[in-house]
Amino acid sequence: CDKFCTFCIVPFTRGRERSRDLNGILLEVEKAVDKGFSEITLLGQNVNSYKNKNNKFHNLLEEVSKINGLKRIRYTSPHPKDMSEKVINIMNKYDNICNSVHLPLQAGSNKILKRMNRTYTKEEFISLAQKIQNRIPNVGISTDIIVGFPGETNSDFEQTLEVMDVIKFDFAFNFKYSARRGTKAIEYDDQVNEEDKKSRLTKVINLQKKHTLHKNEKLIGSYQEVLIEKESKLSSSNWAGRTDSNKWVIFDKGKSEIGELVNVKINEAVGVTLKGQINYNA
Ligand code: SF4
């Protein structure tokens, strides 16, 4: 990674950005499809900074989506700064690119974003997330949030909650800031005390739970295409799979098998999970 966020050790442990040859990636995906894989995830840090010869990330995404027989493509994790209009257009154009974007916010205060070296403002992030929500029907947007970054006051933290309220993420990975040796942020002398970090994390988790449930409840009664990925942890008679928008759904196994795409009617939203039943008439 070339971004050097001040809390992150990745650029020091993993080194600078490198982009693989586009044809090599296509060949690998083609081989996976031949072996029967239905879904491919393009993985990179940051995946949308991809550039190889004249190819950028939107070119890679488009070429992968044209591969015959590939049913689903995901990618993670993009950096908001590098999320281009062209990527959004390609997502819109190809049905086999999943309607799901992981867009790490990290913090809602411009002061903290600057200190984190995130290279975007709260306003830029909101406008990007809203553009994605408006342009990609039924998109699911997830995020990462760090609370208690050095120098974060209550009013800085409140701005994180405000952004969450505006965007209403489908899901969020929430963390307390934890100092990493070798990073710039460990040297900041205004570290936030543990108690404040804990109480802010609880607030963020509770707000996100509310948003996730609200978003999931809207899907009750709808029919979703679900890729069966594994047996449910809770019951050996149920499968667990994900919707296009990256939501987990639990349903009775019936005669279906792992790897199949099935049409599922959503009956219930429980926490971050949906429950449903296979629609055999689809
Ligand atoms: Fe790079 Fe992500 Fe780490 Fe920032 S948080 S330095 S973008 S890997």
Side-chain angles (χ1 to χ4, degrees):
C1 181
D2 291 351
K3 292 284 192 287
F4 290 92
C5 302
T6 55
F7 54 82
C8 182
I9 198 71
V10 167
F12 305 102
T13 53
R14 307 287 300 274
R16 296 295 80 74
E17 250 174 44
R18 298 174 301 277
S19 292
R20 286 180 50 191
D21 177 65
L22 185 134
N23 290 323
I25 298 172
L26 296 182
L27 206 65
E28 197 178 327
V29 177
E30 279 164 7
K31 277 189 187 160
V33 172
D34 282 348
K35 280 186 191 159
F37 284 85
S38 306
E39 182 177 299
I40 291 292
T41 300
L42 299 172
L43 184 66
Q45 202 121 15
N46 301 287
V47 71
N48 57 338
S49 310
Y50 178 87
K51 45 186 173 305
N52 185 265
K53 297 176 187 147
N54 289 328
N55 295 306
K56 295 213 169 141
F57 183 65
H58 67 272
N59 303 114
L60 172 65
L61 195 57
E62 178 159 32
E63 291 311 311
V64 171
S65 67
K66 287 183 192 162
I67 291 175
N68 240 340
L70 179 55
K71 293 180 183 151
R72 280 185 165 189
I73 303 139
R74 300 187 188 277
Y75 62 91
T76 198
S77 289
H79 191 289
K81 184 77 180 171
D82 297 331
M83 193 70 188
S84 72
E85 189 80 25
K86 287 178 176 164
V87 170
I88 300 172
N89 289 342
I90 296 295
M91 287 185 75
N92 226 333
K93 187 170 166 190
Y94 294 91
D95 280 347
N96 59 353
I97 303 176
C98 289
N99 292 341
S100 154
V101 180
H102 183 70
L103 205 62
L105 165 66
Q106 309 298 8
S109 142
N110 285 338
K111 181 191 94 187
I112 298 300
L113 286 170
K114 193 153 190 226
R115 273 195 134 196
M116 287 176 160
N117 192 30
R118 288 296 292 174
T119 67
Y120 51 82
T121 63
K122 162 175 88 173
E123 292 77 16
E124 285 165 345
F125 184 94
I126 289 175
S127 131
L128 173 64
Q130 289 180 330
K131 189 195 288 180
I132 293 169
Q133 285 172 329
N134 292 334
R135 297 269 300 282
I136 305 175
N138 306 317
V139 72
I141 302 191
S142 56
T143 197
D144 297 327
I145 289 173
I146 297 174
V147 299
F149 187 78
E152 184 188 70
T153 61
N154 277 332
S155 101
D156 291 318
F157 171 66
E158 289 295 325
Q159 295 183 61
T160 299
L161 300 178
E162 278 165 31
V163 178
M164 291 174 75
D165 264 330
V166 173
I167 303 303
K168 298 197 170 52
F169 298 104
D170 294 77
F171 186 78
F173 297 95
N174 305 306
F175 307 93
K176 281 188 294 178
Y177 166 75
S178 105
R180 295 267 184 276
R181 213 170 290 144
T183 61
K184 194 167 176 200
I186 201 172
E187 294 164 17
Y188 294 151
D189 55 12
D190 44 6
Q191 303 286 326
V192 174
N193 68 62
E194 198 54 30
E195 228 167 83
D196 283 345
K197 282 189 202 171
K198 270 191 198 158
S199 96
R200 289 174 193 174
L201 183 63
T202 305
K203 285 182 187 163
V204 160
I205 289 172
N206 288 340
L207 182 59
Q208 186 53 49
K209 272 187 187 163
K210 196 175 105 185
H211 289 161
T212 299
L213 187 63
H214 185 65
K215 287 268 181 127
N216 286 355
E217 278 172 349
K218 284 187 175 173
L219 296 180
I220 294 174
S222 72
Y223 292 85
Q224 301 287 322
E225 189 181 64
V226 176
L227 176 66
I228 303 177
E229 297 190 26
K230 58 185 180 185
E231 190 170 271
S232 160
K233 281 182 204 150
L234 299 177
S235 162
S236 61
S237 60
N238 286 351
W239 288 132
R242 280 180 298 164
T243 65
D244 196 281
S245 60
N246 212 18
K247 293 173 191 291
W248 282 99
V249 189
I250 309 292
F251 49 94
D252 194 82
K253 284 181 176 175
K255 287 182 186 139
S256 305
E257 297 295 337
I258 289 179
E260 266 181 54
L261 272 166
V262 286
N263 186 274
V264 176
K265 182 175 184 211
I266 306 301
N267 297 327
E268 207 184 337
V270 186
V272 295
T273 308
L274 296 163
K275 289 187 176 176
Q277 67 194 78
I278 298 179
N279 169 30
Y280 290 103
N281 301 322

